[in-house]
Amino acid sequence: MPSSSASSPPSLLIIGTGGTIAGVAPSAGSTAGYQAGALPIGQILDSVPGLSALVPEGRLATEQVFSIPSEQMSGAHWLQLAGRLRAWLSGDEAPDAIVITHGTDTLEETAFFLSLVLPATRPVLLTGAMRPASALSADGPGNLYDACRFALAARQAGIGGVFVSFGGRVLRADAVYKQHANRTDAFAQRFGQPVAWLEVDRPCWQPALAAGGLQGQFATLALAHTAASAEGDAASMTLPPVGIVPQHVDADPAMVAWLRSRGCQGLVLAGTGVGTMPAPMRAALAQARQAGCLVVRASRVPEGYVGRNTEARPEDGDDALDFIASGWLDARKARILLQLCLAAKMGNAREIQALFERCSP
Ligand code: DAS
């Protein structure tokens, strides 16, 4: 396994967390029935010829933080990963660029979480694969090679922050979502444009598109937590529980009370249309809000914008009920942002609404 020399910081750090990109199936012709996260990061790199040539001799470092299928990802895994990344990014030993290999099932959530809690001082790109490393048609080596090229090019362009690199494009952490359960062009953006792409072999970044949003918004909070904790790592920070309420025909509003009974301090409605819901669901969420629970109206629709006060009756509007509209963020990202707002002791819905509005095309 390559590692950086002690005298100089790595140009490129590649972190392994598991996923299909590290998966092994029973036969090379099979892309199903594989064990995700079976291969350590060093062995994955061996399948990417030319990778070490991207950086000077001895300037490629690796670390296996954990190795799981990403459907098993948890807030504790996020905090552990954020703690390791912060350790690498602190001081003058920071790598020029970081690539994280990750399962695709929760990649969009991990990317958004990391974009909020890491300082946007270096490019951090997450990538994965839709086919296992053992497959004849493996897409992991190409995705990993591209992610490394994009990350190093971002550093040269002075771009920092967390992004997703997949299928030859770089996507925004606040807009990326898994659009297809099977195809290798598995990721798209809910809004805005990709921030980088390949022109033949040349990584082309659009700095203006890569700036803005909420990159590093909670980095100080996370750092303060790390500094304050006896263990000295981000693992001591806990993420306040926030639940998602799925709206559908005959959805039972009792879900709201149950989630509250499970300790949720915030709720996100994955509503129909522009975050709409029937009266019984609205009454249940309004009651939760009156009891001090923050409420966000998001949509179950894959793309589009959820604005404030779109109900016909003013008394059903966000102003009247003190709800937050998710804007361009989907329900899963709204949940993550609300968790960190709660961790930062933000309780004013209007203040939180302003943060949601900063995630836009
Ligand atoms: N095994 C799933 C995961 O770890 C799928 C994948 O990686 O593509 O997310």
Side-chain angles (χ1 to χ4, degrees):
M1 186 188 311
S3 61
S4 62
S5 57
S7 59
S8 54
S11 298
L12 179 64
L13 166 66
I14 303 178
I15 285 180
T17 69
T20 296
I21 193 170
V24 176
S27 74
S30 169
T31 59
Y34 55 83
Q35 174 57 49
L39 302 178
I41 186 63
Q43 204 169 329
I44 297 171
L45 299 198
D46 294 342
S47 70
V48 189
L51 191 60
S52 52
L54 292 176
V55 295
E57 175 70 26
R59 301 290 298 279
L60 173 60
T62 61
E63 179 176 345
Q64 188 83 40
V65 176
F66 43 76
S67 199
I68 59 170
S70 78
E71 63 269 23
Q72 296 176 12
M73 193 63 66
S74 67
H77 285 110
W78 281 351
L79 292 168
Q80 180 187 356
L81 179 58
R84 290 302 307 137
L85 285 161
R86 184 173 295 110
W88 276 103
L89 290 170
S90 61
D92 52 11
E93 291 300 298
D96 290 335
I98 299 177
V99 169
I100 302 171
T101 58
H102 190 291
T104 58
D105 289 354
T106 57
L107 191 150
E108 66 203 68
E109 294 178 70
T110 301
F112 186 53
F113 173 76
L114 291 177
S115 76
L116 295 172
V117 300
L118 292 180
T121 51
R122 290 286 194 282
V124 178
L125 274 62
L126 287 83
T127 194
M130 293 300 288
R131 295 174 181 160
S134 57
L136 282 171
S137 59
D139 56 329
N143 281 343
L144 179 53
Y145 186 74
D146 287 347
C148 293
R149 288 195 289 181
F150 278 126
L152 290 166
R155 180 61 183 155
Q156 285 172 354
I159 294 170
V162 180
F163 304 92
V164 170
S165 173
F166 213 95
R169 302 189 305 171
V170 177
L171 306 176
R172 294 172 46 159
D174 58 359
V176 65
Y177 73 105
K178 191 171 183 180
Q179 65 169 346
H180 203 284
N182 319 106
R183 292 197 322 239
T184 51
D185 63 333
F187 288 89
Q189 288 193 178
R190 273 177 63 82
F191 59 89
Q193 300 300 318
V195 294
W197 52 86
L198 287 172
E199 282 182 359
V200 187
D201 277 341
R202 188 167 69 91
C204 297
W205 280 87
Q206 300 299 307
L209 295 176
L214 289 173
Q215 292 272 16
Q217 179 67 28
F218 294 95
T220 307
L221 165 82
L223 192 61
H225 241 280
T226 303
S229 69
E231 300 80 0
D233 62 30
S236 64
M237 178 174 159
T238 54
L239 293 174
V242 172
I244 295 179
V245 180
Q247 176 54 41
H248 54 79
V249 174
D250 294 339
D252 186 347
M255 283 188 276
V256 172
W258 182 79
L259 285 167
R260 294 274 294 139
S261 73
R262 300 287 293 167
C264 284
Q265 300 169 27
L267 293 172
V268 177
L269 175 82
T272 42
V274 288
T276 56
M277 70 198 94
M281 181 66 80
R282 183 182 299 110
L285 289 170
Q287 187 178 4
R289 181 67 193 117
Q290 286 155 12
C293 177
L294 286 166
V295 174
V296 176
R297 265 184 332 104
S299 174
R300 71 184 193 180
V301 176
E303 300 192 11
Y305 180 80
V306 174
R308 287 185 65 83
N309 301 312
T310 49
E311 297 297 334
R313 301 188 322 157
E315 59 268 36
D316 293 339
D318 298 313
D319 289 353
L321 301 177
D322 200 28
F323 287 174
I324 298 157
S326 69
W328 289 99
L329 290 182
D330 64 25
R332 292 174 298 283
K333 292 188 181 62
R335 185 186 83 88
I336 296 165
L337 179 51
L338 196 52
Q339 279 189 299
L340 288 166
C341 288
L342 285 162
K345 307 297 182 210
M346 293 174 72
N348 181 299
R350 285 311 183 93
E351 278 179 25
I352 295 170
Q353 180 72 70
L355 291 184
F356 274 80
E357 295 302 334
R358 282 175 46 193
C359 296
S360 64

